[in-house]
Amino acid sequence: MTSQVRGVQLARLLGQWHALPGRRRSPDYAALAGAVRGLLADGRLPLGVRLPAERELAEALKISRTTVTAAYRELRESGHLASRRGAGSWTMLPGTHRVASTGLWTPLDDRDMIDLGVAALAAPPELLPAARAAAEDLPRYLGGAGYHPTGIIELREAVARAYTERGLPTSPDQIMVTNGTQHALDLVLRLALAPGGNVLVEAPSYPNALAALAARRARITTHGLAVEEPGWDADLLLGALRQARPKLAYLIPDFQNPTGHLMSAALRERVVATAHAVGTDLVVDESFVDLPLDGTVLPPPTASFDRHSRVITIGGMSKPFWGGLRIGWVRASAPQVQRLAAARVGVDMASPVLDQLVAVHLLADAPAIVAARQAQLTAQRDALLAALAQRLPEWRVTVPHGGVTLWAELDGPISSALARAAEEVGVRLAPGPRFGLDGTLERFLRLPFTLPAADLAEAVGRIAAVRYDLDRGGRSQWREPAVIA
């Protein structure tokens, strides 16, 4: 059944779609069509969604119906909209597009694009030797059916050992191997959250996690994070838990995506205690826990404060190792793992044995691999910071001491407009609203430092050029209002 977006909802998503000053300012109908294409490109407007009628959208945007009619016509001509008389118009994408590494749609001819929409590293050189060693180990498993719903024992032992070394005693029975961290989150939501359940998340937060919650039709309560450290306001976070009493809370305490903040040990302990008191299960995403920079000392794992099986931890190998190796895991109590495995059978049965064997060999070399990653990321982060300071000094950035992303506060609510303009000069960006729920965060932009330093400097140069071009029309929608007393 096709879902529908109402006029007021689309208007909120579009934001300041018409506020695009510059030498090549488009007519309003073209700007509106471009804004809708932008929403499709960054995933905020799904495919197959029925758009509001022309009159309804015109009233919501307070523009003429003629402008909406022309915008819809341009979208149909570009292959982004299909219409049928009496049935309405719904979103689609032309055959000249493909699915990109972000899971979003992108043109086929974008091979020279500098992609800052993806916060992940290329594979380490140790991957090929690990794959060869895994192939030699594979015959030991060929005599069986190959289905291991909780994962092969070697990998569960390796993951459990890593948790134990971090100060969180863990047995292999508490580990379930999944096809990546996103898969781990999906399985946990299937088990722990009924459709329509109440969930607390940070704002901003990881877009794919928000999409998973939307698929469960979750009712979401947000806790806003500050740009500066420490990010979380303890009183507000604990107050939100007590007031909303959510069934579930999804948190990223270790180098939060996208802000890079690191939650203190004291707050972790208080969050776990409050969650137990109000009956909330915590899903803790540790995707970036292996990537502290600058000698940052990590607090104890959040689950180390758990005495009542309220904390379910998810993690994986995408960030410290390689996203193409779809290995993630869930750490929970042994009974919870068994229930997750039972739920999994109806989804995908088990993870590939060969991939798990590759993961075993990579984890054996983890200290050397992670140390090289940390050195690489530190250099690339510093190069990105230097380029931003030189070319866009008015942007405000808090230096992250881990993870792979910067969360930049821009000099105006221009994130989506800037992303559309940057695409034209060969840079793909993840605008701030992708990390929220309601089209806000237009003053923010996530910038990963996972590409080589030269690519990052080139990308910032192109972004700066189009940023300044946005102002050349002499309009002042993005300036701070004057105060007259």
Side-chain angles (χ1 to χ4, degrees), residues 99-124:
V99 178
S101 54
T102 56
L104 306 178
W105 291 82
T106 185
L108 285 169
D109 57 352
D110 70 342
R111 290 182 176 83
D112 296 327
M113 183 76 66
I114 300 176
D115 194 348
L116 295 182
V118 179
L121 293 158

Side-chain angles (χ1 to χ4, degrees), residues 225-234 252-256 258-264 267-268 293-294 296 299 381 396-403 405-407 409:
L225 298 182
V227 177
E228 303 87 359
E229 296 289 355
W232 295 269
D233 183 301
I252 313 174
D254 299 287
F255 311 118
Q256 200 263 354
T259 64
H261 293 317
L262 180 64
M263 185 182 287
S264 68
L267 182 54
R268 295 174 192 229
L293 308 179
D294 307 324
T296 299
R381 179 202 61 185
R396 189 158 63 107
V397 179
T398 299
V399 180
H401 296 290
T405 63
L406 302 178
W407 185 239
E409 183 176 1

Side-chain angles (χ1 to χ4, degrees), residues 241-254:
L241 282 169
R242 295 187 187 103
Q243 183 174 359
R245 305 180 75 87
K247 178 66 179 70
L248 212 66
Y250 170 77
L251 302 174
I252 313 174
D254 299 287

Side-chain angles (χ1 to χ4, degrees), residues 45-70:
L45 188 62
L47 299 181
V49 169
R50 184 175 298 158
L51 294 187
E54 294 171 2
R55 186 185 302 278
E56 180 185 352
L57 182 57
E59 292 175 355
L61 294 175
K62 296 180 172 57
I63 58 176
S64 71
R65 181 177 176 180
T66 303
T67 299
V68 178
T69 300

Side-chain angles (χ1 to χ4, degrees), residues 148-164 166 168-178 286 313-315 327-338 340-341 344 356 363:
H148 302 270
T150 59
I152 63 173
I153 184 61
E154 293 101 318
L155 183 52
R156 289 189 289 121
E157 287 176 342
V159 174
R161 186 162 53 248
Y163 277 111
T164 301
R166 289 174 54 203
L168 179 60
T170 303
S171 71
D173 290 341
Q174 293 178 267
I175 302 296
M176 185 176 80
V177 178
T178 64
E286 290 191 338
T313 305
I314 60 176
I327 294 295
W329 50 76
V330 178
R331 183 209 178 270
S333 68
Q336 286 173 319
V337 165
Q338 291 304 311
L340 283 167
R344 178 185 193 166
Q356 294 183 70
L363 288 174

Side-chain angles (χ1 to χ4, degrees), residues 399-423:
V399 180
H401 296 290
V404 300
T405 63
L406 302 178
W407 185 239
E409 183 176 1
L410 313 184
D411 54 329
I414 58 169
S415 188
S416 293
L418 186 63
R420 294 195 296 270
E423 187 98 10

Side-chain angles (χ1 to χ4, degrees), residues 173-260:
D173 290 341
Q174 293 178 267
I175 302 296
M176 185 176 80
V177 178
T178 64
N179 298 322
T181 310
Q182 184 70 17
H183 181 223
L185 176 61
D186 181 76
L187 289 173
V188 170
L189 294 181
R190 289 171 183 268
L191 178 69
L193 185 68
N198 191 9
V199 179
L200 176 70
V201 301
E202 299 145 334
S205 189
Y206 179 46
N208 292 341
L210 298 177
L213 291 170
R216 299 293 294 172
R217 302 193 303 277
R219 294 180 292 113
I220 298 177
T221 301
T222 59
H223 166 66
L225 298 182
V227 177
E228 303 87 359
E229 296 289 355
W232 295 269
D233 183 301
D235 292 336
L236 291 179
L237 175 57
L238 301 179
L241 282 169
R242 295 187 187 103
Q243 183 174 359
R245 305 180 75 87
K247 178 66 179 70
L248 212 66
Y250 170 77
L251 302 174
I252 313 174
D254 299 287
F255 311 118
Q256 200 263 354
N257 185 6
T259 64

